[in-house]
Amino acid sequence: MKLYAAAALVLLSHVAESFVSPTTVSVSTLSSTAEPLVEVNNDADEQKKQKRKQLKQALLGKIGSSSSNNFISDPLLVDPMTKEPLSLSLKGPILGSNAGVRLTLKSASDSERVFEGRSDAYINLLEPISDGKDEKTSVSTSPILASLLTLTPPPVRSLVANISSNSDLEYIPMRDLFTDPSVSFAYERGWRQGFAAAGFPGADKEFDLAKEYFAPVIDKKRSSGEDNVVVDMSCATGLFTRRFTTSGEYDRVIACDYSDSMLTEARRRIRADSDIASSNTQLDLVRCDVAKIPFKSDSIDAFHAGAAMHCWPEIEESLKEIHRVLVPGGRYFASTFLGTYFQNVANLEKTSNGGSDVEPSMQAFQYFPTVEGLRDLLLNAGFDDDKVDVEVIGAACVIIRCEK
């Protein structure tokens, strides 16, 4: 099976295999597959050190070119703002019992836009470490504050979120709720299972529905000898990510979320899954904003968003971005809630706001009132009417299927 060998971010095997073993090694699995061998004697220890040194030299020799016109880039990842390719370099430990590869990604057109990541954690394409501009500080960087604000009524949320005269603190409830580590901890410990009350079919059944819908585009790629890619957006703790990865249907799985704590929990669960460790599927975790997806246009075969759309503050921009990154004929499968499911929450917000409607940015969720309204959002994003299907299951579970 072909993999994206040109990307040091996601696959370093073609550089490293001649020094280590014929086993494929990707950045996302390097830290787990590169455990030191049991030391039998000094010769074995020395051989191990030499292999480490050779691998590091090979990797840096491949990536660390001084030529500005000769850089390694992932075939999919781009700067979320400019959509320019990202050059890649390595720094920090290469092998070790608990140490992954540290990555630096620079925008091809603006060297001051620099992103970082780790193979044993995730790639952060949400916040550049340097872009030369002053930006708002998201409450997501303060989980404690995010947790407290989630429990406050809308007027107080707005007051606290704009406490600075320069408005350099930004709080958006439907986004920042899920940056709270307690929510990440609870997500697969009862939270997600509670969606059954709205009619959600359960993770296994929902995964089967998505896999069935994706099958034609995946089969087409496979029959042509090309690798396929599926994105699990707003992946949370990796509930569906793990299923995509272990299914054997996909060559590359990219799991994305806005929340640091969700991705941290997802990585913990991935490490604990022995089936993922033995899978040939390439798996990467990326922190990003769905309204600014860091993928090339026309690059993604299948795009999944489970129980997520109601948590996207910029819903129109997000759906347009999904349409942009899908290949022609690519498919989008999503589940979400009809607004009726959140009626009590909406009523409480309105009451807390003195009887007035709450500003959309201060709502706890997107309240999709009708199926027709959801269809209009998808059509406005660029999907054709005859390729959009919106189905309601149970009381308030919505299943969305779209083809580009």
Side-chain angles (χ1 to χ4, degrees), residues 207 210-211 214 230-232 239-250 253 279 281 304:
F207 170 71
K211 185 173 69 170
F214 293 155
V230 62
V231 167
D232 187 21
L239 184 67
F240 291 98
T241 300
R242 300 193 301 275
R243 286 168 168 80
F244 284 122
T245 304
T246 58
S247 70
E249 295 291 322
Y250 310 100
V253 175
S279 172
T281 297
H304 174 263

Side-chain angles (χ1 to χ4, degrees), residues 154-383:
V156 181
R157 294 177 195 163
S158 181
L159 177 64
V160 176
N162 294 284
I163 194 169
S164 167
S165 60
N166 295 323
S167 298
D168 55 0
L169 177 66
E170 182 180 52
Y171 177 69
I172 300 176
M174 67 182 77
R175 179 195 69 193
D176 290 313
L177 165 65
F178 295 94
T179 64
D180 180 2
S182 64
V183 175
S184 304
F185 178 84
Y187 191 78
E188 289 189 47
R189 297 177 174 90
W191 181 299
R192 188 53 160 81
Q193 291 83 343
F195 294 0
F200 277 72
D204 287 335
K205 177 60 176 177
E206 189 174 332
F207 170 71
D208 287 341
L209 292 173
K211 185 173 69 170
E212 179 183 3
Y213 186 62
F214 293 155
V217 66
I218 299 302
D219 290 344
K220 184 178 179 181
K221 271 295 187 73
R222 186 176 292 116
S223 64
S224 66
E226 299 177 78
D227 286 345
N228 62 71
V229 183
V230 62
V231 167
D232 187 21
M233 181 59 71
S234 299
C235 66
T237 56
L239 184 67
F240 291 98
T241 300
R242 300 193 301 275
R243 286 168 168 80
F244 284 122
T245 304
T246 58
S247 70
E249 295 291 322
Y250 310 100
D251 296 315
R252 182 177 183 182
V253 175
I254 305 177
C256 305
D257 206 282
Y258 184 94
S259 168
D260 165 85
S261 63
M262 284 292 191
L263 289 170
T264 299
E265 177 69 9
R267 178 60 74 184
R268 186 191 69 78
R269 289 177 175 270
I270 287 167
R271 287 197 191 104
D273 193 322
S274 59
D275 290 335
I276 289 180
S278 61
S279 172
N280 289 325
T281 297
Q282 190 177 309
L283 173 60
D284 302 288
L285 271 58
V286 175
R287 188 181 183 204
C288 66
D289 184 346
V290 65
K292 301 177 182 67
I293 299 177
F295 303 145
K296 292 182 179 179
S297 298
D298 305 324
S299 64
I300 305 300
D301 302 297
F303 200 108
H304 174 263
M309 285 172 54
H310 53 282
C311 300
W312 295 349
E314 299 174 271
I315 186 65
E316 294 88 355
E317 291 81 356
S318 299
L319 292 173
K320 289 177 181 177
E321 278 287 87
I322 291 171
H323 184 270
R324 177 185 67 81
V325 302
L326 282 172
V327 300
R331 294 190 165 190
Y332 173 51
F333 181 97
S335 60
T336 190
F337 294 89
L338 274 182
T340 52
Y341 185 76
F342 298 120
Q343 193 60 57
N344 290 339
V345 177
N347 290 341
L348 180 60
E349 286 184 335
K350 189 171 183 177
T351 300
S352 300
N353 201 37
S356 300
D357 289 333
V358 176
E359 182 183 348
S361 65
M362 288 293 113
Q363 292 177 179
F365 303 102
Q366 294 283 0
Y367 305 130
F368 302 122
T370 64
V371 167
E372 291 73 20
L374 276 166
R375 284 187 63 87
D376 287 343
L377 285 171
L378 295 161
L379 297 178
N380 291 337
F383 293 101

Side-chain angles (χ1 to χ4, degrees), residues 19-20 47-56:
F19 296 94
V20 183
Q47 289 176 1
K48 181 179 64 177
K49 290 180 180 179
Q50 286 300 318
K51 286 183 178 180
R52 290 185 184 182
K53 182 178 179 180
Q54 289 173 329
L55 178 58
K56 182 173 181 178

